[in-house]
Amino acid sequence: MDLKGRNFLTLKDFTPEEITYLLDLSAELKEKKKKGIPVDKYRGMNVALIFEKTSTRTRCSFEVAAHDMGMGTTYLDPSGSQIGKKESIEDTARVLGRMFDGIEYRGFGQEIVEELAKYAGVPVWNGLTNEYHPTQMLADMLTIREHFGHLKGIKLVYMGDARYNMGNSLMIACAKLGMHFVACTSKNYFPNEELVETCKGYAKETGATITLTEDIESGTKDADVICTDVWVSMGEPDEVWEERIRELSPYKVTKKVMENAGEQAIFLHCLPAFHDLKTKIGKQIHDKFGLDDMEVTDEVFESPQSKVFDEAENRMHTIKAVMVATLGERE
Ligand code: CP
Ligand code: NVA
């Protein structure tokens, strides 16, 4: 499989075979890292990491992976460059494309990362947009595959805001990989119809199914994986908190939800998560709305069924695979 020179903007652009190849490569790179076998033939190469929104996992994954590979990195923080203020994306792309071998971009609309890719002339990797979070998908799928040994036929239920990057991307990943995707949430938070139709098209080819339901009992019954994400994403205005809490509170991942799914079920969350009062935002929400948690209870988050830290670790191995594949494999 040759993905050299390809962008990584959304899983919509990749075939099931290409996604499986990236997962296999991730597993191989993970094993090599654990055994101390270096994959560092990329010396002399450099990657730019543009973050217009904040990050812990994605930034660290790109940096650690790049350094493991022998590459240099330049981090452009949400305020420290000319991008979008004094310089267009098109010009930025043409400048960075002259200096770097690959560019990661995290920001707002998907059209921005598409524009960057159009003009950069080097691989561009989407580190999260409002619409998609494709590198997270590889980590989630690798974590599920490590746990169950396969992906086809797995029932994955997403609870919460299914119209945003995580809900959209999980639906695409499941449809491409022959899994059973359920968005179990208020109908106002179902993924948009056009994307649902696109994914149903993929599903026809792979044996996947797509279900949208407000019913928690049937939606989560016998699920293999229960996923959620924050109810208010980066870049959204504070005004939406009240409505989100009202609409999405019934879809919090609780012990009862996990019990309904069954003891085989695992819990995944891309993180960061609001499950206790140890954060500044958590305390603010507590003071304003009286909540001790939001999308998931601390009990579920800290339970043996929760695989969120395996998932977080897998961000690094999978991001390394994306860079190795698109920059070209080097023995
Ligand atoms: N899951 C994820 O993308 O985390 P960060 O926002 O910390 O990068
Ligand atoms: N939906 C979240 C994901 C964070 C990794 C956000 O966009 O803020």
Side-chain angles (χ1 to χ4, degrees):
M1 188 73 68
D2 185 10
L3 300 183
K4 190 173 177 186
R6 291 271 297 272
N7 299 307
F8 191 74
L9 306 180
T10 158
L11 286 193
K12 287 200 284 186
D13 301 337
F14 289 80
T15 64
E17 293 72 27
E18 287 169 341
I19 299 169
T20 303
Y21 159 73
L22 286 169
L23 294 174
D24 292 346
L25 182 59
S26 305
E28 187 187 319
L29 292 167
K30 181 172 181 175
E31 200 183 323
K32 283 189 171 153
K33 170 100 177 169
K34 302 275 175 203
K35 286 185 176 157
I37 302 168
V39 178
D40 58 358
K41 300 272 163 49
Y42 295 79
R43 201 165 303 281
M45 292 183 120
N46 290 283
V47 295
L49 309 175
I50 306 172
F51 282 84
E52 297 210 85
K53 290 176 178 169
T54 52
S55 168
T56 297
R57 278 145 289 271
T58 310
R59 176 187 174 181
C60 294
S61 296
F62 270 99
E63 291 205 10
V64 171
H67 296 158
D68 278 357
M69 291 163 69
M71 297 196 292
T73 55
T74 299
Y75 171 65
L76 296 155
D77 76 18
S79 61
S81 77
Q82 316 288 19
I83 299 166
K85 299 180 278 288
K86 284 172 78 176
E87 193 159 32
S88 67
I89 287 293
E90 180 179 336
D91 289 356
T92 303
R94 289 183 292 178
V95 171
L96 297 182
R98 295 289 186 104
M99 300 183 191
F100 293 93
D101 299 284
I103 304 169
E104 180 277 352
Y105 176 85
R106 164 173 288 198
F108 296 88
Q110 180 71 8
E111 69 283 357
I112 305 172
V113 76
E114 304 272 354
E115 173 104 342
L116 193 63
K118 185 171 167 194
Y119 293 102
V122 296
V124 171
W125 309 299
N126 178 0
L128 177 147
T129 56
N130 296 343
E131 292 84 355
Y132 305 116
H133 198 1
T135 60
Q136 180 75 49
M137 289 311 104
L138 295 181
D140 290 12
M141 295 303 131
L142 182 65
T143 310
I144 296 167
R145 200 175 78 170
E146 283 173 344
H147 186 81
F148 293 102
H150 65 281
L151 289 170
K152 219 172 171 56
I154 290 287
K155 175 176 176 177
L156 182 148
V157 182
Y158 181 85
M159 304 180 83
D161 183 3
R163 309 165 309 177
Y164 221 70
N165 41 31
M166 281 301 296
N168 290 344
S169 300
L170 283 165
M171 181 167 68
I172 296 165
C174 289
K176 291 258 178 181
L177 296 170
M179 297 161 71
H180 303 299
F181 175 82
V182 182
C184 181
T185 188
S186 155
K187 64 177 181 316
N188 297 328
Y189 291 85
F190 283 170
N192 83 56
E193 279 175 29
E194 197 186 328
L195 187 61
V196 171
E197 285 315 306
T198 303
C199 289
K200 283 188 175 165
Y202 304 146
K204 267 196 202 130
E205 304 292 315
T206 63
T209 58
I210 312 275
T211 307
L212 312 180
T213 181
E214 291 193 300
D215 188 74
I216 298 168
E217 157 76 30
S218 65
T220 62
K221 190 83 200 148
D222 299 328
D224 299 300
V225 187
I226 303 280
C227 287
T228 191
D229 183 18
V230 290
W231 288 346
V232 178
S233 286
M234 289 183 278
E236 293 198 284
D238 285 349
E239 291 72 58
V240 304
W241 278 106
E242 206 164 328
E243 185 204 307
R244 294 289 158 85
I245 291 169
R246 194 177 56 246
E247 291 257 351
L248 298 178
S249 283
Y251 299 96
K252 182 196 301 266
V253 181
T254 60
K255 191 169 174 222
K256 194 166 162 220
V257 166
M258 294 306 291
E259 279 173 357
N260 188 52
E263 59 187 23
Q264 79 296 335
I266 61 169
F267 171 72
L268 294 183
H269 190 311
C270 62
L271 307 181
F274 181 9
H275 62 97
D276 59 22
L277 298 180
K278 290 177 189 153
T279 62
K280 194 169 156 197
I281 178 99
K283 287 193 194 90
Q284 283 166 357
I285 298 295
H286 175 80
D287 293 347
K288 196 155 176 205
F289 301 105
L291 300 175
D292 292 339
D293 54 36
M294 208 168 273
E295 68 272 15
V296 57
T297 61
D298 198 46
E299 189 179 21
V300 170
F301 188 90
E302 297 294 352
S303 72
Q305 283 171 292
S306 172
K307 303 297 172 199
V308 296
F309 298 107
D310 293 338
E311 183 186 9
E313 179 192 328
N314 282 338
R315 296 298 309 287
M316 199 284 286
H317 305 297
T318 48
I319 279 173
K320 190 185 278 176
V322 169
M323 291 199 285
V324 165
T326 56
L327 294 174
E329 286 197 55
R330 293 181 174 192
E331 288 307 319

